[in-house]
Amino acid sequence: MTAPAANGDQDREVLRMEGITLRFDHITALDRVDFALRGGETCIIQGAAGSGKTVLLKIALGLIRPDEGHIYIFGKEMTGAHEQDWMEARAAMGILFQEGGLFDSMTIEENVAYPLENIKAVHCPRNEVRPRVEQALQFVELGHTLEKVPSELSGGMRRRVGIARAVVTRPQLVLYDSPTAGLDPITATTIMALVAKERDTRHTATALATHRYQDGHLLANYTWDAAQARLVRSLGGGSAARTRFLVMADGRKVFEGSQDELESSTDEYISQFARRWKE
Ligand SMILES: Nc1ncnc2c1ncn2[C@@H]1O[C@H](COP(=O)(O)OP(=O)(O)OP(=O)(O)O)[C@@H](O)[C@H]1O
Ligand SMILES: [Mg+2]
């Protein structure tokens, strides 16, 4: 499979799921979910604990196979694909796992190098691994931590290492599973600034599961300004127009729309995920 050559490939279909159903024994974790993401788009996935956010992201990566439905990655049907094809597809996708997913026994350098050295389809020559790892760690402002192990870093720093590992392969699509969970508000904003920085400097399609409405609000209304090295309010609705909100309930997609549409919802469950923010 050939992934698009450049991330600037806006509007190209990156991911599409149709009628995805996933069952675990007596639980229907996903119930006929449709989901699509195009180049340059951001999708914020909200919903109560256990509503299916993580399993949806894991299905997008081929880490869990659905019981029913179809999945397409960069336009290619992956339903029932062999692991080898999924490995190739994953070369163009990055993930920040909900629990961070760093290997405790490896150094930070080894952790970030892992996808470069283990996903064959990434094709990273040996002598380029170290510079790529350094660059990814500098991106998250942790260039000085190469020799440390995860337990020597704070929770927020470990999350940043997770982002470095998710983007080190320069993916077209990055999936973030609850990147701000359990962090203080200041550290959470730092993490979200990195998510926006990755999205806006490399034009990656972004899917982000979160419990915090502020996270979606930030991605819909702010843009990373490289010259000022900070987030600035988006002009002309640029990010908002390319940001969709999705709300899950008991494995079903119960809402999909813009931030305005989410905030206008009168549904008791959905409106809980749409706290209006005064600025
Ligand atoms: N490996 C598994 N075995 C059995 N059930 C599972 C497994 N993984 C997930 N589930 C179930 O699938 C449902 C969806 O779980 P999921 O982890 O996607 O929820 P979530 O929306 O990510 O929740 P949270 O906000 O707590 O992260 C839950 O009922 C969960 O118990
Ligand atoms: Mg989860």
Side-chain angles (χ1 to χ4, degrees):
M1 181 174 75
T2 323
N7 277 1
D9 221 345
Q10 305 279 301
D11 289 329
R12 177 181 173 145
E13 181 181 287
V14 170
L15 171 65
R16 183 154 52 96
M17 297 188 192
E18 290 172 355
I20 295 289
T21 294
L22 173 71
R23 297 184 197 93
F24 292 108
D25 298 327
H26 304 296
I27 297 169
T28 302
L30 292 174
D31 188 1
R32 289 162 291 165
V33 174
D34 295 329
F35 176 68
L37 198 64
R38 307 190 80 84
E41 274 187 342
T42 301
C43 185
I44 311 297
I45 305 164
Q46 292 179 276
S51 60
K53 302 181 297 295
T54 293
V55 289
L56 188 68
L57 296 180
K58 286 190 172 168
I59 283 179
L61 276 171
L63 298 177
I64 304 179
R65 306 295 175 97
D67 293 298
E68 286 162 34
H70 294 265
I71 174 159
Y72 303 83
I73 307 283
F74 304 116
K76 179 182 171 181
E77 169 132 35
M78 296 296 289
T79 320
H82 292 294
E83 182 58 18
Q84 188 57 39
D85 289 332
W86 272 109
M87 290 293 278
E88 272 195 45
R90 279 182 217 129
M93 298 193 259
I95 174 109
L96 174 67
F97 288 105
Q98 182 155 8
E99 312 299 345
L102 298 182
F103 302 112
D104 294 335
S105 58
M106 292 186 186
T107 64
I108 300 305
E109 178 181 2
E110 288 162 350
N111 264 285
V112 178
Y114 191 85
L116 294 178
E117 290 176 331
N118 290 280
I119 304 178
K120 283 201 187 73
V122 168
H123 300 304
C124 182
R126 202 167 266 281
N127 62 348
E128 276 182 31
V129 171
R130 170 96 184 194
R132 292 270 292 268
V133 168
E134 285 175 352
Q135 191 185 27
L137 281 167
Q138 277 157 14
F139 182 83
V140 298
E141 295 173 18
L142 285 177
H144 55 288
T145 61
L146 282 131
E147 311 306 329
K148 293 191 187 298
V149 289
S151 61
E152 294 177 272
L153 304 185
S154 71
M157 288 163 96
R158 284 200 294 271
R159 218 57 75 81
R160 279 151 66 192
V161 173
I163 293 179
R165 190 175 63 175
V167 305
V168 72
T169 57
R170 298 175 189 150
Q172 320 285 319
L173 165 65
V174 186
L175 310 169
Y176 299 91
D177 195 354
S178 310
T180 58
L183 299 178
D184 65 83
I186 295 170
T187 309
T189 304
T190 310
I191 295 296
M192 288 309 300
L194 289 172
V195 172
K197 181 179 170 187
E198 163 67 19
R199 177 190 68 177
D200 297 333
T201 52
R202 300 196 52 256
H203 308 291
T204 30
T206 303
L208 182 136
T210 183
H211 285 281
R212 297 192 342 141
Y213 182 60
Q214 299 98 303
D215 295 347
H217 177 78
L218 185 145
L219 289 182
N221 295 281
Y222 289 83
T223 307
W224 180 260
D225 183 321
Q228 300 184 57
R230 67 179 182 89
L231 289 172
V232 295
R233 186 93 194 180
S234 310
L235 297 173
S239 316
R242 302 193 65 80
T243 303
R244 268 180 303 123
F245 289 74
L246 203 137
V247 179
M248 301 292 297
D250 294 330
R252 284 179 303 116
K253 184 176 76 177
V254 291
F255 172 86
E256 183 167 14
S258 67
Q259 185 178 17
D260 282 347
E261 287 165 339
L262 179 60
E263 292 188 346
S264 319
S265 173
T266 52
D267 180 274
E268 201 182 326
Y269 177 81
I270 295 167
S271 59
Q272 293 178 78
F273 299 99
R275 202 145 34 100
R276 188 172 277 284
W277 289 90
K278 302 265 181 278
E279 290 181 282

